Amino acid sequence: MKKNIYISTIVILFFAFSFPPKKNIKVYLIGDSTMCEYEMNRAPLTGWGMPFKYFFDSTVQIDNRARGGRSTRTFISENRWQPIADSLHEGDYVLMQFGHNDEAKEERYKDRYTPVADYKINLVKFIIETRAKNANPVLITPVTRMRFDKDGKVAETHTEYSTAVWEVGKQTNTPVIDLEKKSRDLLQQFGSVTSKLLFMQLDSLQHPNYPAGQKDNTHFTEFGARRMAELVLAEIRNLKLELADRIVVPVIKK
């Protein structure tokens, strides 16, 4: 009996020291309207950061600081970045996805436009200041818009800025999640008609929050946001980030 207790104690101690408890961390999401949180009265409008937070275990707190209409430049100039940089702790993550507003050259968007060269400088700033706190930066290319050509092929809508993300990733040895390509591939798989279910393409009287309907090829429904979040999660696994070990494994009931 005493021998069995002794062996059990050794086994427990072995596993206790071999698998120390994971440290609690924060994952900050910084970016634009395709990622941010929305109030219920704007449903079904959903940023992909909203469903993203439900895929992790209790050691992870998702802090979604993304805001609509923000570019890398305005995210810094409005003092949205500095509080995050000041709050980072070792082991935290910063997932950054910008581009939609940085590339907006139209006159009405001139306050947010950021040339590619400055976009890259701003991304490097986020990366350097994240690593200064021993936290982990992750670059994400801007998620695609829904735009099919006459042959039914999804058009690239962020070429310059997606290329810039890859260049910064290579320059700084930072992991890159190519959400632009992955989301484009998803739309191609769905086709021009079914892809509308991912975006805020609503007929009049289809939803009480949008009685006049909505024709939006940029922002997602809850279904679309969840599919985009799943693409990001898959790439976190593919990149073998430590964060992947904290993704909840679904329990299959028999």
Side-chain angles (χ1 to χ4, degrees):
M1 183 67 177
K2 288 183 178 179
K3 184 179 180 180
N4 290 339
I5 295 173
Y6 175 76
I7 293 172
S8 298
T9 303
I10 293 297
V11 170
I12 291 169
L13 288 173
F14 172 78
F15 281 103
F17 285 102
S18 299
F19 303 99
K22 289 180 286 190
K23 175 185 174 184
N24 290 345
I25 62 169
K26 268 191 176 185
V27 177
Y28 290 90
L29 306 182
I30 64 173
D32 54 42
S33 58
T34 61
M35 180 196 257
C36 75
E37 299 269 343
Y38 289 99
E39 299 83 4
M40 285 300 296
N41 63 6
R42 300 187 69 183
L45 178 62
T46 310
W48 68 255
M50 294 172 70
F52 183 76
K53 64 187 175 186
Y54 296 112
F55 286 90
F56 294 92
D57 65 29
S58 61
T59 67
V60 178
Q61 179 185 349
I62 304 295
D63 193 337
N64 191 344
R65 302 290 185 94
R67 290 294 181 273
R70 270 57 184 191
S71 61
T72 55
R73 181 169 62 82
T74 57
F75 202 83
I76 294 169
S77 66
E78 293 175 3
N79 197 38
R80 296 181 181 277
W81 167 246
Q82 193 59 50
I84 297 171
D86 292 341
S87 301
L88 286 169
H89 292 91
E90 182 178 357
D92 288 345
Y93 282 80
V94 177
L95 275 57
M96 54 193 85
Q97 181 221 257
F98 290 93
H100 280 77
N101 299 299
D102 294 82
E103 69 186 1
K105 294 182 179 180
E106 297 91 337
E107 178 64 22
R108 60 179 173 150
Y109 298 134
K110 64 181 180 181
D111 291 339
R112 62 183 73 167
Y113 172 66
T114 312
V116 171
D118 292 339
Y119 175 71
K120 293 169 71 174
I121 290 170
N122 294 338
L123 292 178
V124 171
K125 173 183 172 67
F126 297 148
I127 291 166
I128 290 173
E129 294 180 8
T130 297
R131 287 187 172 143
K133 293 296 190 70
N134 294 315
N136 305 289
V138 179
L139 290 160
I140 304 177
T141 56
V143 66
T144 193
R145 292 185 172 94
M146 185 176 65
R147 189 176 299 165
F148 287 83
D149 64 21
K150 60 182 178 61
D151 297 317
K153 183 178 179 181
V154 183
E156 291 188 47
T157 54
H158 307 291
T159 307
E160 279 188 291
Y161 288 79
S162 291
T163 299
V165 172
W166 279 106
E167 290 171 351
V168 169
K170 184 176 181 180
Q171 172 192 345
T172 60
N173 194 29
T174 302
V176 177
I177 292 174
D178 197 352
L179 186 56
E180 195 278 330
K181 183 179 186 305
K182 294 296 181 182
S183 57
R184 221 170 359 102
D185 290 346
L186 179 65
L187 266 63
Q188 195 65 63
Q189 177 187 340
F190 275 28
S192 60
V193 176
T194 306
S195 288
K196 293 179 180 181
L197 298 175
L198 302 169
F199 291 85
M200 287 290 289
Q201 291 280 331
L202 305 174
D203 293 330
S204 59
L205 303 180
Q206 182 178 342
H207 195 283
N209 287 339
Y210 300 89
Q214 189 88 345
K215 301 299 176 187
D216 183 340
N217 295 327
T218 298
H219 300 97
F220 305 112
T221 59
E222 191 281 332
F223 173 58
R226 184 157 35 85
R227 292 306 303 264
M228 299 306 156
E230 289 168 353
L231 293 176
V232 175
L233 289 160
E235 289 307 293
I236 288 173
R237 290 192 182 99
N238 289 339
L239 289 168
K240 295 180 169 59
L241 302 180
E242 186 275 339
L243 185 59
D245 298 334
R246 301 167 186 261
I247 296 173
V248 173
V249 178
V251 176
I252 301 175
K253 296 182 179 180
K254 295 181 179 180

